Amino acid sequence: MKFGTKAIHAGQEPDPTTGAVMTPIYQTSTYWQKSPGDNKGYEYSRGTNPTRKALEDCLAALENAKHGLAFSSGLGATDAVMKLLLPGDEVITGDDLYGGSYRMFTKIFANFGIKFHFLDLSKPENILPYLNDKTKLIWIETPTNPTMKIIDIAEVAKIAKAKNVLLCVDNTFASPYLQNPIDLGADIVMHSATKYLGGHSDVVMGALMMNDDELYKRLWFIYNATGATPGPQDSFLVLRGIKTLHLRMKAHCENGRQIAAYLKSHPKVDKIYWPGFEDHPNHDIAKKQMRDFGGMISFTIKGATLEDTYKLAGSFKVFTLAESLGGVESLINHPVSMTHGSIPKELREKAGVVDSLLRLSVGVEDVEDLLDDLKQALG
Ligand SMILES: *Cc1c(COP(=O)(O)O)cnc(C)c1O
């Protein structure tokens, strides 16, 4: 099946008891057992729920994976992957990660004796000097947030496989419509389903997808044993959101293309980060591993102080100043004071996250209105 058909149908059959075409919201915590242990495959909703199961099968199909697991947030999903590790293990990861992932790694898991190396992974060979017998996981995000570096997933997967190290890719920014890391050799794909998968900024959820049965069993054990699993109402919302993922992504990409071109020609714009530009340093890799370039764009303003940038960020009328991304509505974000506040200034600036940087999540409104809004705000 092709992508759009999977988005609408995967994991979803008419409900066997009533024939309902849309998956019902099974708002139940527990299930009847005929005699102890004799049940219909469901015992307690922390571990399994039919609405969540339909979503998980759909999520797996979108990433060409065998198994899917839904979590109550993207960070809940990340936390479960980290719990595969033991004290003394080492992790190699990127130097411009999602702020919440960085915070979890350094403030939670570092306390449990896990060591993290934060590297510029746009050059995969940077991994080599840090690989040793203790390396158990490589965790990457591509495109990176917010400077849109592209990491060559197939290259990193080759390095990981040669040393028997797990590779997990946070695929939130690309969405499964643009990029499928498992096809490129990753072991686990992670999503904040809060973003493009949900697509309407009305639910917080996370997901993991994987092929390996043993890995699935270990992750399902952690999921059930630690309990960060989502309820049926939220599972329904994401299942519903996914039905238009392919349509939304086409519109995000098309609007993104026009807005990136406009910003590039604007005299007040200094740096602009969008992987679709031919002069983007990793454009060739983006072209190789992504189907299009998405609607996430970051840019800096020439000579702007922190105050100037605050003022500009507050002067939009269609773009909403808010954290998050991937919804139908366009958002503008100031990474330094919003999403990336938990990353130390020195590390942040090294990765290009400077005071005058703004990040757009281009929505699916009429692009003329978005362009007008940028024009008036920058004017
Ligand atoms: C939002 C986000 C997360 C965290 O997901 P939540 O659903 O907010 O917990 C992780 N990675 C990336 C790239 C994100 O954008």
Side-chain angles (χ1 to χ4, degrees):
M1 256 192 271
K2 292 192 147 180
F3 192 88
T5 314
K6 288 195 283 193
I8 294 168
H9 293 290
Q12 301 155 74
E13 295 291 335
D15 184 53
T17 50
T18 63
V21 171
M22 289 302 141
T23 306
I25 301 168
Y26 283 93
Q27 196 74 51
T28 186
S29 62
T30 191
Y31 305 83
W32 168 67
Q33 310 197 12
K34 197 167 174 204
S35 61
D38 181 2
N39 56 54
K40 298 183 177 232
Y42 297 94
E43 292 172 345
Y44 186 61
S45 281
R46 185 187 343 97
T48 34
N49 173 280
T51 316
R52 193 200 304 148
K53 182 74 172 87
L55 169 66
E56 291 175 335
D57 290 348
C58 184
L59 289 166
L62 295 182
E63 286 289 8
N64 302 327
K66 202 164 153 193
H67 306 288
L69 289 170
F71 289 82
S72 51
S73 69
L75 287 181
T78 303
D79 178 77
V81 175
M82 292 301 140
K83 285 173 179 155
L84 292 168
L85 304 173
L86 293 171
D89 287 350
E90 295 190 11
V91 178
I92 292 172
T93 187
D95 63 358
D96 57 351
L97 283 185
Y98 173 69
S101 307
Y102 179 82
R103 181 178 56 195
M104 183 194 298
F105 297 171
T106 56
K107 299 268 165 64
I108 307 278
F109 285 99
N111 294 339
F112 293 114
I114 293 163
K115 192 167 169 187
F116 294 87
H117 302 283
F118 299 95
L119 311 174
D120 175 3
L121 299 181
S122 61
K123 296 185 185 67
E125 65 272 22
N126 287 350
I127 294 172
L128 298 173
Y130 292 88
L131 269 181
N132 63 54
D133 293 345
K134 294 183 191 141
T135 315
K136 293 289 149 59
L137 174 70
I138 300 177
W139 178 280
I140 66 175
E141 225 179 282
T142 179
T144 68
N145 174 14
T147 57
M148 314 295 157
K149 278 197 279 191
I150 303 292
I151 297 169
D152 190 329
I153 300 171
E155 250 343 276
V156 175
K158 235 185 267 167
I159 294 171
K161 279 233 160 62
K163 287 273 181 187
N164 232 346
V165 173
L166 279 180
L167 171 62
C168 181
V169 179
D170 179 340
N171 202 26
T172 302
F173 257 46
S175 89
Y177 178 80
L178 293 181
Q179 171 176 288
N180 297 118
I182 286 178
D183 292 346
L184 300 167
D187 300 292
I188 308 171
V189 173
M190 174 263 164
H191 278 279
S192 168
T194 313
K195 318 296 168 53
Y196 287 108
L197 289 170
H200 296 74
S201 304
D202 52 9
V203 61
V204 171
M205 196 182 290
L208 298 176
M209 296 81 151
M210 71 295 301
N211 269 339
D212 187 78
D213 295 340
E214 207 46 48
L215 189 57
Y216 169 69
K217 273 191 207 145
R218 287 173 68 200
L219 286 164
W220 187 85
F221 180 84
I222 294 167
Y223 151 112
N224 184 50
T226 61
T229 55
Q233 175 86 35
D234 284 356
S235 300
F236 173 84
L237 282 173
V238 175
L239 204 51
R240 184 189 219 260
I242 286 173
K243 289 186 195 295
T244 55
L245 179 62
H246 53 306
L247 305 175
R248 288 184 283 111
M249 289 311 297
K250 270 182 211 154
H252 285 298
C253 291
E254 190 41 45
N255 284 356
R257 202 182 323 280
Q258 292 196 44
I259 285 170
Y262 173 75
L263 288 171
K264 194 164 199 183
S265 69
H266 200 287
K268 287 194 182 158
V269 172
D270 189 6
K271 289 203 172 74
I272 167 154
Y273 302 99
W274 183 66
F277 290 129
E278 276 179 26
D279 60 0
H280 180 290
N282 319 120
H283 177 70
D284 288 346
I285 301 160
K287 239 169 73 179
K288 184 179 76 171
Q289 71 188 17
M290 298 172 73
R291 296 184 191 92
D292 204 339
F293 305 108
M296 295 303 300
I297 303 167
S298 300
F299 61 101
T300 61
I301 309 296
K302 273 183 196 147
T305 62
L306 187 60
E307 253 168 49
D308 300 334
T309 313
Y310 275 173
K311 209 169 141 205
L312 175 66
S315 66
F316 286 84
K317 297 192 164 75
V318 182
F319 282 88
T320 304
L321 180 64
E323 300 207 6
S324 200
L325 61 113
V328 286
E329 74 295 341
S330 291
L331 298 179
I332 182 158
N333 171 280
H334 182 242
V336 163
S337 56
M338 297 165 76
T339 44
H340 289 62
S342 51
I343 299 181
K345 190 174 167 73
E346 200 186 329
L347 194 70
R348 203 163 69 199
E349 296 202 333
K350 222 177 87 195
V353 186
V354 296
D355 288 352
S356 76
L357 185 78
L358 291 169
R359 187 192 78 187
L360 302 179
S361 169
V362 177
V364 301
E365 298 94 337
D366 289 300
V367 74
E368 295 79 6
D369 293 323
L370 299 177
L371 290 167
D372 283 350
D373 196 28
L374 280 166
K375 199 168 175 184
Q376 67 79 20
L378 286 166

